[in-house]
């Protein structure tokens, strides 16, 4: 039986290229998503064996998507396919529950190898990130303790992307007043006093790309 895979990347060409590669390896792509929330919804309905997810995606980043995906599709194992090789991303990915981490700069067969290893129950890290992880552990320079809840982090990403209060309320299916409460709590927790600095913080944390 072929391995069933969900692809989540905000670049259509990347997803199509991956689908061609996986089709050749008899790995079935059962769903494709362009952002994190869509990936979570599709995982809930398709229950794939593996979810291949980019970290940097609009509306909901890959790290938060994996956390939610584990709730709606517990048997799905995730692999990050990303350009980020910094230690803080690797440690954050492992803390989120991913089973694999592959760099986009690696050869295509690296991803295929990761899929088979992770499907078989192993954890797989690209050679390019293994060293970064070891260094992070030795120097304790990994991701600092996360001060925000998943919902607060999601609101922060949407603020960083320039979404209005009304737009955030619509995306998250909550009231505008609740959005304002989340924003006020974010500012209090982070000791930040205006939206511009919230945006800068979101960029610095890698929640938003510039």
């Amino acid at each position: 039986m072929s391995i069933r895979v969900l692809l989540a990347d905000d670049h259509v060409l990347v997803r199509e290229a991956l689908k061609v590669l996986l089709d050749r390896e008899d790995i079935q792509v059962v769903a494709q998503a362009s952002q994190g929330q869509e990936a979570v919804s599709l995982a809930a309905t398709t229950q794939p064996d593996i979810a291949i997810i980019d970290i940097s995606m609009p509306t909901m980043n890959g790290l938060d998507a994996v956390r939610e995906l584990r709730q709606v599709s517990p048997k799905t194992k995730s692999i990050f396919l990303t350009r980020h090789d910094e230690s803080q991303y690797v440690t954050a990915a492992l803390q989120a529950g991913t089973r694999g981490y592959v760099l986009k700069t690696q050869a295509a067969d690296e991803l295929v190898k990761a899929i088979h290893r992770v499907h078989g129950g192993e954890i797989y890290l690209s050679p390019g990130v293994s060293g970064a992880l070891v260094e992070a552990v030795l120097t304790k320079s990994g991701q600092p303790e996360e001060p925000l809840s998943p919902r607060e982090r999601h609101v922060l990403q949407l603020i960083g992307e320039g979404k209005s209060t009304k737009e955030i309320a619509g995306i998250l299916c909550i009231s505008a007043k609740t959005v304002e409460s989340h924003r006020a709590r974010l500012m209090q927790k982070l000791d930040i006093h205006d939206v511009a600095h919230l945006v800068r913080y979101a960029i610095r944390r890698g929640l938003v790309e510039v």
Side-chain angles (χ1 to χ4, degrees):
M1 184 180 295
S2 52
I3 301 172
R4 301 171 68 256
V5 167
L6 177 149
L7 298 177
D9 192 292
D10 59 331
H11 294 98
V12 177
L13 291 178
V14 171
R15 297 200 310 271
E16 291 302 320
L18 289 174
K19 186 176 186 307
V20 170
L21 166 69
L22 299 181
D23 283 346
R24 288 203 305 261
E25 300 291 334
D26 196 30
I27 296 172
Q28 182 185 7
V29 176
V30 297
Q32 296 186 41
S34 60
Q35 49 100 336
Q37 278 189 317
E38 185 183 15
V40 173
S41 297
L42 289 172
T45 57
T46 61
Q47 300 288 305
D49 300 310
I50 302 286
I52 299 171
I53 300 181
D54 191 7
I55 287 181
S56 301
M57 290 190 294
T59 308
M60 177 189 284
N61 65 81
L63 293 169
D64 288 330
V66 164
R67 292 185 182 97
E68 292 201 15
L69 193 150
R70 292 173 65 196
Q71 302 299 315
V72 301
S73 185
K75 293 183 179 179
T76 300
K77 299 170 183 175
S78 64
I79 296 173
F80 279 117
L81 179 64
T82 178
R83 63 179 179 81
H84 295 292
D85 61 357
E86 301 92 336
S87 61
Q88 66 265 31
Y89 285 103
V90 183
T91 52
L94 292 172
Q95 289 166 359
T98 192
R99 305 293 293 177
Y101 199 102
V102 179
L103 297 177
K104 287 183 175 179
T105 53
Q106 298 290 323
D109 60 356
E110 191 77 23
L111 177 61
V112 175
K113 186 190 299 183
I115 291 171
H116 286 290
R117 293 275 187 86
V118 169
H119 187 251
E122 300 179 44
I123 292 177
Y124 186 88
L125 303 177
S126 278
V129 301
S130 299
L133 179 60
V134 171
E135 182 66 21
V137 171
L138 291 176
T139 63
K140 297 183 179 180
S141 62
Q143 183 90 342
E145 185 176 346
E146 175 57 70
L148 306 178
S149 70
R151 176 47 63 94
E152 289 168 345
R153 199 166 48 244
H154 197 174
V155 170
L156 175 62
Q157 177 176 346
L158 294 170
I159 291 172
E161 290 175 358
K163 300 287 193 301
S164 68
T165 297
K166 183 177 179 180
E167 288 173 324
I168 296 172
I171 290 169
L172 299 181
C173 299
I174 57 179
S175 69
K177 186 175 180 181
T178 301
V179 174
E180 291 169 356
S181 296
H182 282 308
R183 185 169 59 236
R185 198 153 48 242
L186 280 169
M187 289 181 173
Q188 181 180 18
K189 279 188 175 183
L190 300 174
D191 194 23
I192 291 174
H193 307 292
D194 58 69
V195 172
H197 282 86
L198 273 182
V199 172
R200 290 176 193 170
Y201 180 85
I203 294 170
R204 193 165 64 248
R205 284 295 309 274
L207 295 174
V208 180
E209 287 194 306
V210 293

